[in-house]
């Protein structure tokens, strides 16, 4: 009886198929993004990307919504793993103008779509709504985009109604080191949320196109406001603040009215907007609930 011996070419085809099956390869309509704002919005739309840059850092800075465990980490936002992306072969690679310089390299792998947000001179909230609709259009699901917009705006109205009648001006900051903070104001996500909640921002100074200004701690002492710190703290900063006479002298620290919020992406879209609103309102109404 004769025995059929597979040819070398046949073996090569089998091995090639096994390699592809074991590789983080997605379907031809897959999608990857370097930008966390686009990633969080896609998750909220029910269309999670197959690849996202710096997945661990996304969870540290964005917090929620979480990325599904199946999402592949495609490297640094500024220097993605091109070889890995080539194996994944996504149909679309989504960028924001910040990463536009990567377009020539990435366009060899898939269609590169650039989506702008936080454009100077344009209304921040309207830009966020436009971005949500643009992503819905890309996924062929306009209904999900409109549903996300409607549910977020409805929730904002509900949260605004929960606030006490009087809330002092708030100062929203995020530490860069033990002596400097980002203070958030016009043009930014946090300001857009505060506008919808009817809250006053104590910071009326200039901000950049991302909605913040970098200031020294001394500048905060000059403002009458309740201080809100958005995590995460840089490594070692909390310990240094505990020993800082300047920080301990701040009224919100002295009278124990300081509000500390878990990480929320200050450059985000609707998911981060609702997360910030939920966390902030819960912190503001907590003393009221304690007195009931």
């Amino acid at each position: 009886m004769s025995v059929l011996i597979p040819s070398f070419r046949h073996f090569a085809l089998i091995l090639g198929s096994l390699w592809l099956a074991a590789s983080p390869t997605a379907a031809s309509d897959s999608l990857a993004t370097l930008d966390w704002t686009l990633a969080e919005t896609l998750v909220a739309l029910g269309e999670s990307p197959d690849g996202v840059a710096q997945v661990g850092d996304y969870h540290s800075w964005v917090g929620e919504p979480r990325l599904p465990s199946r999402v592949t980490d495609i490297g640094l936002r500024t220097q993605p793993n091109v070889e890995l992306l080539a194996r994944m072969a996504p149909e679309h690679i989504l960028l924001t103008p910040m990463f536009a310089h990567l377009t020539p390299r990435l366009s060899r792998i898939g269609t590169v779509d650039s989506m702008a947000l936080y454009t100077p001179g344009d209304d921040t909230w309207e830009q966020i709504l436009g971005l949500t609709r643009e992503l819905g259009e890309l996924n062929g699901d306009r209904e999900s985009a409109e549903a996300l917009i409607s549910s977020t705006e409805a929730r904002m109205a509900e949260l605004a109604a929960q606030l006490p009648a009087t809330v002092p001006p708030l100062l929203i900051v995020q530490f860069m080191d033990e002596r400097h903070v980002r203070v958030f104001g016009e043009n930014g996500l946090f300001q857009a949320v505060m506008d919808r909640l009817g809250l006053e921002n104590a910071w009326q100074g200039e901000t950049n196109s991302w909605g913040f200004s970098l200031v020294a701690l001394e500048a905060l002492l000059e403002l009458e406001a309740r201080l809100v710190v958005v995590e995460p703290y840089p490594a070692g900063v909390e310990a240094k603040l505990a020993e800082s006479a300047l920080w301990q002298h701040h009224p919100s620290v002295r009278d124990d009215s300081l509000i500390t919020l878990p990480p929320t992406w200050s450059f985000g879209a609707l998911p981060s907007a609702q997360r910030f609103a939920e966390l902030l309102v819960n912190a503001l109404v907590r003393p009221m609930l304690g007195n009931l």
Side-chain angles (χ1 to χ4, degrees), residues 159-214:
L159 290 168
Q162 295 176 21
L163 289 167
T166 303
V167 177
L170 303 175
L171 196 61
I172 317 295
V173 304
Q174 191 169 50
F175 275 89
M176 295 293 98
D177 58 41
E178 71 272 17
R179 295 297 300 266
H180 299 89
V181 298
R182 286 174 177 167
V183 58
F184 296 94
E186 285 298 324
N187 305 318
L189 176 74
F190 293 163
Q191 182 65 61
V193 171
M194 293 175 73
D195 289 342
R196 269 137 198 85
L197 296 176
L199 296 170
E200 181 182 351
N201 192 338
W203 182 257
Q204 299 298 316
E206 292 185 0
T207 58
N208 59 20
S209 59
W210 294 96
F212 71 86
S213 182
L214 187 64

Side-chain angles (χ1 to χ4, degrees), residues 81-99:
N81 187 328
V82 177
E83 292 77 14
L84 177 58
L85 275 170
R87 294 205 303 272
M88 293 177 67
E91 183 178 9
H92 291 275
I93 302 173
L94 305 187
L95 308 177
T96 51
M98 178 184 296
F99 307 111

Side-chain angles (χ1 to χ4, degrees), residues 162 164 226 258-262 278-292:
Q162 295 176 21
R226 186 175 184 185
L258 173 70
I259 293 174
T260 303
L261 301 182
E278 298 272 6
L279 293 170
L280 182 60
V281 171
N282 286 342
L284 290 170
V285 303
R286 199 175 298 133
M288 296 170 53
L289 296 175
N291 293 329
L292 294 178

Side-chain angles (χ1 to χ4, degrees), residues 123-194:
D123 181 81
T124 301
W125 192 254
E126 290 302 319
Q127 288 186 68
I128 291 172
L129 301 187
L131 177 72
T132 305
R133 292 185 172 110
E134 191 175 0
L135 286 170
E137 183 78 25
L138 178 69
N139 289 319
D141 191 358
R142 298 178 185 176
E143 290 185 1
S144 291
E146 294 302 329
L148 178 60
I149 290 170
S150 297
S151 64
T152 303
E153 294 190 321
R155 184 56 181 157
M156 290 287 180
E158 292 172 357
L159 290 168
Q162 295 176 21
L163 289 167
T166 303
V167 177
L170 303 175
L171 196 61
I172 317 295
V173 304
Q174 191 169 50
F175 275 89
M176 295 293 98
D177 58 41
E178 71 272 17
R179 295 297 300 266
H180 299 89
V181 298
R182 286 174 177 167
V183 58
F184 296 94
E186 285 298 324
N187 305 318
L189 176 74
F190 293 163
Q191 182 65 61
V193 171
M194 293 175 73

Side-chain angles (χ1 to χ4, degrees), residues 20 31 70 119 129 168 193 224 246 251 264 285 288:
L20 287 172
L31 185 153
R70 66 168 181 80
T119 303
L129 301 187
V193 171
E224 293 186 11
L246 180 64
T264 304
V285 303
M288 296 170 53

